[in-house]
Amino acid sequence: GVLEVLAASASSVDIAIWNPDGSPAELSGNGTRIAAAWLAEQTGATRVTVSVGWRVVETTLSQTGEIEQLIGDVLVGPAETVDGITFVPVSVGNPHAVVIGDPATIGVIGPKLETHARFPDRTNVQVARVDGEGEVTARVWERGVGETLSSGTSAVAVAAATHGEGEVLVHFPGGDLRVHLA
């Protein structure tokens, strides 16, 4: 995707996010981290507020390069089944459908759910395997993109759907993300 900087000050940045297919994205955890790191590099800020549409993400950058974000409200719905696929709908400011199963099936399940009539504006899809308490392995089918190696909002959606609260380490092919759910 593409991040467009709409406005910036010493400690805040407003961005728009565009998927490779040209559609707008409501939120991107990786995108907001990139925008925060870019502004911090420009201004030296260690706390950056990133605005994407109506969503405001508070970001703190550590001396070691780690970036912590307060994403905001996460809404988890009851499990649903469409066309034989059971998923948990999750909103992290953008829509997600989390399937508990074998992550290797993402290439089949992802496109089916992304464009299903249940999701008139399409959805992001994750197939996740719970590895134990506080640990999950997942793959992501990103709306308007296809399979991606990692996704910040997908990590939050997977953690919320599989654990509900606490610390969760989410393993993606592109690297691990740690999520804290309060």
Side-chain angles (χ1 to χ4, degrees):
V2 173
L3 297 178
E4 179 183 6
V5 175
L6 303 174
S9 69
S11 62
S12 67
V13 60
D14 295 344
I15 63 172
I17 304 168
W18 303 97
N19 290 321
D21 70 356
S23 64
E26 296 97 336
L27 185 64
S28 165
N30 289 345
T32 53
R33 282 199 314 274
I34 290 167
W38 169 80
L39 187 64
E41 185 177 293
Q42 304 301 309
T43 67
T46 57
R47 292 182 181 267
V48 174
T49 301
V50 181
S51 298
V52 183
W54 63 270
R55 195 73 173 220
V56 176
V57 178
E58 299 293 334
T59 305
T60 304
L61 295 90
S62 74
Q63 294 290 353
T64 61
E66 290 186 355
I67 300 173
E68 180 179 315
Q69 295 183 300
L70 297 175
I71 293 290
D73 293 336
V74 177
L75 304 173
V76 180
E80 299 178 31
T81 302
V82 296
D83 293 343
I85 302 170
T86 301
F87 64 93
V88 176
V90 181
S91 174
V92 186
N94 58 353
H96 296 267
V98 180
V99 176
I100 309 303
D102 180 357
T105 63
I106 192 67
V108 173
I109 292 173
K112 283 183 182 177
L113 282 181
E114 176 195 7
T115 58
H116 191 276
R118 158 62 176 85
F119 304 102
D121 295 323
R122 297 181 298 161
T123 190
N124 299 295
V125 180
Q126 302 78 30
V127 180
R129 178 187 68 237
V130 177
D131 298 324
E133 189 173 328
E135 194 167 358
V136 179
T137 297
R139 286 173 63 180
V140 178
W141 186 271
E142 196 167 329
R143 174 179 59 163
V145 178
E147 186 173 4
T148 60
L149 296 178
S150 179
S151 166
T153 59
S154 289
V156 174
V158 165
T162 60
H163 286 78
E165 62 181 27
E167 295 281 336
V168 182
L169 181 62
V170 182
H171 303 288
F172 288 121
D176 298 341
L177 292 172
R178 186 167 305 282
V179 177
H180 177 79
L181 299 165

